[in-house]
Amino acid sequence: MSDRTLMVLSTLEDIDMSIDMVIERFKAIKTVDDFLSSAENIEKLDSIAMRLLAIGEGLKNIDKLTDGQLLPRYPSIEWKNIKGLRDVLSHHYFDINAEILFDVCSSKLGELSRVIKLMSKDLKV
């Protein structure tokens, strides 16, 4: 197995761990308004945003390591949107939209988790 493949696998493992952390932190959030309902939930919003930023950064790194060849093999995921969210979270932090983060957490992470696991499995073969 090449060094690049090992780096990609390591990054996929980090992404998978971050997805699990976001899912766990999001469990108490039932509506968009919950994110802003208490200091504790604002901290959850911040920590979720940080993990989503890390996921996007990891995917950008994977794209570089694989010369843009790996992610397109899994078209069920909107890779461009994930990397774009990373850009907003890192460069326009005060423009974070709680509704977008709520949508990502409530409807996108399950499929992303499934595909990240599949990518790891495929690379190990």
Side-chain angles (χ1 to χ4, degrees):
M1 194 173 294
S2 73
D3 287 344
R4 279 188 177 206
T5 302
L6 289 172
M7 290 172 61
V8 170
L9 285 169
S10 176
T11 303
L12 287 170
E13 185 178 303
D14 291 341
I15 290 170
D16 191 40
M17 181 185 66
S18 287
I19 292 169
D20 289 344
M21 292 171 106
V22 170
I23 290 170
E24 181 61 33
R25 292 172 184 171
F26 185 71
K27 282 182 179 177
I29 306 298
K30 304 301 181 203
T31 68
V32 173
D33 293 335
D34 288 348
F35 271 135
L36 306 174
S37 67
S38 69
E40 179 182 342
N41 285 354
I42 291 171
E43 284 182 22
K44 284 183 184 185
L45 175 64
D46 288 344
S47 68
I48 287 170
M50 186 63 191
R51 285 290 163 180
L52 293 174
L53 187 153
I55 290 167
E57 186 66 26
L59 291 170
K60 279 187 156 192
N61 290 336
I62 287 172
D63 218 20
K64 287 178 189 172
L65 287 167
T66 64
D67 298 320
Q69 299 299 306
L70 181 62
L71 299 183
R73 293 184 356 208
Y74 302 87
S76 67
I77 301 297
E78 298 171 7
W79 302 112
K80 184 178 178 182
N81 288 348
I82 296 171
K83 293 183 286 182
L85 179 60
R86 175 255 174 229
D87 293 341
V88 170
L89 292 172
S90 63
H91 299 294
H92 306 283
Y93 190 80
F94 292 109
D95 295 333
I96 291 175
N97 184 325
E99 289 180 17
I100 291 172
L101 295 187
F102 183 85
D103 179 55
V104 167
C105 293
S106 62
S107 67
K108 309 286 188 203
L109 289 181
E111 175 67 4
L112 181 60
S113 177
R114 185 190 70 76
V115 169
I116 293 297
K117 286 173 175 51
L118 177 61
M119 291 168 76
S120 292
K121 180 182 171 191
D122 291 348
L123 286 171
K124 290 175 184 175
V125 173

Coordinates of all heavy atoms in Angstrom, one line a residue, residues 21-22 24-29 34-36 38-52 93 101 105:
M21 N -18.7 12.2 16.1 CA -18.8 13.3 17.1 C -19.9 14.2 16.8 O -20.7 14.6 17.8 CB -17.5 14.0 17.2 CG -16.3 13.2 17.7 SD -14.8 14.0 17.6 CE -14.5 14.4 19.3
V22 N -20.1 14.6 15.6 CA -21.2 15.6 15.2 C -22.5 14.9 15.5 O -23.4 15.5 16.1 CB -21.0 16.0 13.7 CG1 -22.3 16.8 13.3 CG2 -19.8 16.9 13.5
E24 N -23.3 12.6 17.6 CA -23.5 12.5 19.1 C -23.9 13.9 19.6 O -24.8 14.0 20.4 CB -22.2 12.0 19.7 CG -22.4 11.9 21.2 CD -23.5 10.9 21.7 OE1 -23.7 9.9 21.0 OE2 -24.1 11.2 22.7
R25 N -23.2 14.9 19.2 CA -23.4 16.3 19.7 C -24.8 16.8 19.2 O -25.4 17.7 19.9 CB -22.3 17.2 19.3 CG -21.0 16.9 20.0 CD -19.9 17.7 19.5 NE -18.6 17.2 20.2 CZ -17.4 17.6 19.8 NH1 -17.2 18.4 18.8 NH2 -16.4 17.1 20.5
F26 N -25.2 16.4 18.1 CA -26.5 16.9 17.5 C -27.7 16.2 18.1 O -28.8 16.7 17.9 CB -26.4 16.6 16.0 CG -27.6 17.2 15.2 CD1 -27.7 18.6 15.1 CD2 -28.5 16.4 14.7 CE1 -28.8 19.1 14.4 CE2 -29.6 16.9 14.0 CZ -29.7 18.3 13.9
K27 N -27.5 15.1 18.8 CA -28.7 14.4 19.3 C -29.7 15.2 20.1 O -30.9 15.0 20.0 CB -28.2 13.2 20.2 CG -27.7 12.0 19.4 CD -27.3 10.9 20.3 CE -26.8 9.7 19.5 NZ -26.4 8.6 20.3
A28 N -29.2 16.2 20.9 CA -30.1 17.0 21.7 C -30.8 18.1 20.9 O -31.7 18.8 21.4 CB -29.3 17.6 22.9
I29 N -30.4 18.3 19.7 CA -30.9 19.4 18.9 C -32.1 18.9 18.0 O -31.9 18.0 17.2 CB -29.8 20.0 17.9 CG1 -28.6 20.4 18.7 CG2 -30.4 21.1 17.1 CD1 -28.8 21.5 19.8
D34 N -33.2 25.3 18.5 CA -32.5 24.7 19.7 C -31.0 25.1 19.7 O -30.4 25.2 20.8 CB -32.6 23.2 19.6 CG -34.0 22.7 20.0 OD1 -34.8 23.5 20.5 OD2 -34.2 21.5 19.7
F35 N -30.4 25.3 18.5 CA -29.0 25.7 18.5 C -28.7 27.0 19.3 O -27.6 27.2 19.8 CB -28.5 25.9 17.0 CG -28.0 24.7 16.4 CD1 -28.4 24.4 15.1 CD2 -27.1 23.8 17.0 CE1 -27.8 23.3 14.4 CE2 -26.6 22.7 16.3 CZ -26.9 22.5 15.0
L36 N -29.7 27.9 19.3 CA -29.5 29.2 19.9 C -30.3 29.3 21.2 O -30.3 30.4 21.8 CB -29.9 30.3 18.9 CG -29.2 30.2 17.6 CD1 -29.8 31.2 16.6 CD2 -27.7 30.3 17.7
S38 N -29.7 28.1 24.3 CA -29.0 28.1 25.5 C -27.5 28.3 25.2 O -27.0 28.0 24.1 CB -29.2 26.9 26.3 OG -28.6 25.7 25.7
A39 N -26.7 28.6 26.2 CA -25.3 28.7 26.1 C -24.7 27.4 25.7 O -23.8 27.3 24.9 CB -24.6 29.3 27.4
E40 N -25.2 26.3 26.4 CA -24.7 25.0 26.1 C -24.9 24.6 24.6 O -24.1 24.0 24.0 CB -25.4 24.0 27.0 CG -25.0 22.5 26.8 CD -25.8 21.6 27.7 OE1 -26.4 22.0 28.7 OE2 -25.8 20.4 27.3
N41 N -26.1 24.9 24.1 CA -26.4 24.6 22.7 C -25.6 25.5 21.7 O -25.3 25.0 20.6 CB -27.9 24.7 22.4 CG -28.6 23.5 23.0 OD1 -28.0 22.5 23.5 ND2 -30.0 23.5 22.9
I42 N -25.3 26.7 22.1 CA -24.5 27.5 21.2 C -23.1 26.9 21.2 O -22.4 26.9 20.1 CB -24.4 29.0 21.7 CG1 -25.8 29.6 21.5 CG2 -23.3 29.8 21.0 CD1 -26.0 31.0 22.1
E43 N -22.6 26.3 22.3 CA -21.3 25.6 22.3 C -21.4 24.4 21.4 O -20.4 24.1 20.7 CB -20.9 25.2 23.7 CG -20.4 26.3 24.6 CD -20.0 25.9 26.0 OE1 -19.7 24.7 26.2 OE2 -20.0 26.7 26.9
K44 N -22.5 23.7 21.4 CA -22.7 22.6 20.5 C -22.6 23.0 19.0 O -22.0 22.4 18.2 CB -24.0 21.9 20.7 CG -24.0 21.0 22.0 CD -25.3 20.3 22.2 CE -25.2 19.5 23.5 NZ -26.2 18.7 23.8
L45 N -23.3 24.2 18.7 CA -23.2 24.7 17.4 C -21.8 25.0 17.0 O -21.3 24.6 15.9 CB -24.1 26.0 17.3 CG -24.0 26.7 16.0 CD1 -24.6 25.9 14.8 CD2 -24.7 28.1 16.1
D46 N -21.0 25.6 17.9 CA -19.6 25.9 17.6 C -18.8 24.7 17.4 O -18.0 24.6 16.5 CB -19.0 26.8 18.8 CG -19.5 28.2 18.8 OD1 -20.1 28.6 17.8 OD2 -19.3 28.8 19.9
S47 N -19.0 23.7 18.3 CA -18.2 22.5 18.2 C -18.6 21.7 16.9 O -17.7 21.1 16.3 CB -18.3 21.6 19.4 OG -19.6 21.1 19.6
I48 N -19.9 21.7 16.6 CA -20.3 21.0 15.4 C -19.7 21.7 14.1 O -19.2 21.0 13.2 CB -21.8 20.9 15.3 CG1 -22.3 19.9 16.3 CG2 -22.3 20.6 13.9 CD1 -23.8 19.9 16.5
A49 N -19.7 23.0 14.1 CA -19.2 23.8 13.0 C -17.7 23.5 12.9 O -17.2 23.3 11.8 CB -19.4 25.3 13.2
M50 N -17.0 23.4 14.0 CA -15.5 23.1 13.9 C -15.3 21.7 13.3 O -14.4 21.5 12.5 CB -14.9 23.2 15.3 CG -13.5 23.0 15.4 SD -12.7 24.3 14.4 CE -11.0 23.7 14.4
R51 N -16.1 20.7 13.7 CA -15.9 19.4 13.2 C -16.3 19.3 11.7 O -15.7 18.6 10.9 CB -16.8 18.3 14.0 CG -16.2 18.0 15.3 CD -14.9 17.2 15.1 NE -14.1 17.2 16.3 CZ -13.0 16.6 16.4 NH1 -12.4 16.0 15.4 NH2 -12.3 16.7 17.6
L52 N -17.3 20.0 11.3 CA -17.7 20.1 9.9 C -16.6 20.8 9.1 O -16.3 20.3 7.9 CB -19.0 20.8 9.7 CG -20.3 20.1 10.3 CD1 -21.5 20.9 10.1 CD2 -20.5 18.7 9.6
Y93 N -16.9 33.0 9.3 CA -17.5 32.4 10.5 C -18.7 33.1 11.0 O -19.7 32.5 11.4 CB -16.4 32.3 11.6 CG -16.9 31.5 12.8 CD1 -16.9 30.1 12.7 CD2 -17.5 32.0 13.9 CE1 -17.3 29.3 13.7 CE2 -18.0 31.2 14.9 CZ -17.9 29.9 14.8 OH -18.4 29.1 15.8
L101 N -26.5 24.3 8.9 CA -25.9 23.3 9.7 C -26.9 22.3 10.2 O -26.6 21.1 10.3 CB -25.2 23.9 10.9 CG -24.0 24.8 10.5 CD1 -23.2 25.3 11.7 CD2 -23.0 24.1 9.5
C105 N -26.7 18.3 9.5 CA -26.6 17.3 10.6 C -27.8 16.3 10.5 O -27.7 15.2 10.9 CB -26.6 18.0 11.9 SG -25.1 18.9 12.2

